[in-house]
Every structure is written in structure tokens, then in C-alpha cells.
Amino acid sequence: LDEGVEHVNGKVAILEERETALTERLLEMVEAQYQMLNTQVDNIHAKEVSKDANVHAFIAGVEVAQQQGDARIEAAINATRTKFELLKAREALHYAGLNEIKNAEQMKQAADVVTATTVIDTDVAELRANLTATLSSDKTNIRRELQAGWTEANDT
């Protein structure tokens, strides 16, 4: 029996050694698999971080381009506003000048109306006086001729 126990103990020892060796081998394989997966995860993570950095760089580029575009638009708006203000000031000067000319023309027209009215009134008064004198003279001549014709007709 001792021999059988030794024999069994020998086989158990061999099995234990094999189990230990297989366990170590299995642990090594698990460790290798773990390292491989870890490396793959690190690579994927690095790619994603790179993509993320590219996206952030793209976004930053778009933001810079937009800011530059906004600055150009704002500069164009300010330039247009300045031109508009200059045009507005120039037109105000022109308007003021035209108003002065209009006021001067209105004053001249009013003076011309007064002058024309005075000349017309003087001419009408002179014509009336001449007409009255002519009519009075003609009336006197017609009466004299009528008187002379009446006298001659009665004398005959």
C-alpha cells in the first residue's frame, strides 16, 4: 500500500507540477493577451486623441477665419458708414447753399414784383392820363365840330 500511496503521491505531484506549469502558462497567456489589448486600446486612444486634436484645430481655424471675415465685414461697414457721413455732410452743405440761393431768388422775385407793380402802376396811370387827355380833347373837338355843323345847318 505504501508503494501505491507513493505511486499516487508521485502522480499527484506530477499533476500538481503540470497544473502549476499550466497555470503559469495560462497566466503568461492572459498577461500577453492583456498587454496586447492594452496596446490596442492605447493605439485606439491615441488615434481618437489625434482625431480630437484635428477637430479642435479645424474648429480653431474656422473660428479664426470667421473672426477675420467678421473683421473685414466690420471694416467695410465702418468705411461705408464713414462715406455715408461724409456724403451726408456734403449734401447738407449743398442743401444749405441751395436754400440760400432759393431765399435770395425769392427775395429778388419779391423785389422784382414790387418793381414791376410800380412800373405797371406808373404806366397805367400815365396811359390813363394820356387817354383822359386825348378823350377830353377829342370830346372837345367833336363838340366844336358838332356845334359848328349845327350852327352852319341852322344858318342855312
Side-chain angles (χ1 to χ4, degrees), residues 98-114:
L98 289 174
N99 273 342
E100 288 178 19
I101 291 169
K102 180 190 75 139
N103 290 339
E105 286 296 320
Q106 285 177 338
M107 291 173 64
K108 182 182 179 300
Q109 184 179 11
D112 288 349
V113 166
V114 169

Side-chain angles (χ1 to χ4, degrees), residues 6-36:
E6 277 181 31
H7 180 31
V8 170
N9 282 340
K11 290 215 178 225
V12 169
I14 291 173
L15 286 175
E16 284 178 351
E17 285 176 19
R18 279 179 119 184
E19 181 183 3
T20 303
L22 286 173
T23 302
E24 285 178 14
R25 176 73 183 135
L26 184 60
L27 286 175
E28 287 173 3
M29 288 174 60
V30 168
E31 179 65 25
Q33 187 71 25
Y34 172 77
Q35 291 300 326
M36 185 181 75

Side-chain angles (χ1 to χ4, degrees), residues 99-150:
N99 273 342
E100 288 178 19
I101 291 169
K102 180 190 75 139
N103 290 339
E105 286 296 320
Q106 285 177 338
M107 291 173 64
K108 182 182 179 300
Q109 184 179 11
D112 288 349
V113 166
V114 169
T115 301
T117 302
T118 302
V119 168
I120 289 170
D121 287 348
T122 302
D123 288 349
V124 167
E126 187 179 312
L127 284 172
R128 279 189 184 151
N130 287 342
L131 185 59
T132 301
T134 301
L135 285 175
S136 185
S137 171
D138 286 350
K139 189 174 162 185
T140 304
N141 287 340
I142 289 172
R143 282 192 180 153
R144 202 176 355 166
E145 286 180 16
L146 281 174
Q147 188 69 31
W150 181 260

Side-chain angles (χ1 to χ4, degrees), residues 82-96:
T82 300
K83 287 178 185 177
F84 179 73
E85 291 300 325
L86 290 173
L87 178 65
K88 189 175 165 184
R90 188 178 76 210
E91 290 302 315
L93 287 174
H94 288 169
Y95 183 76

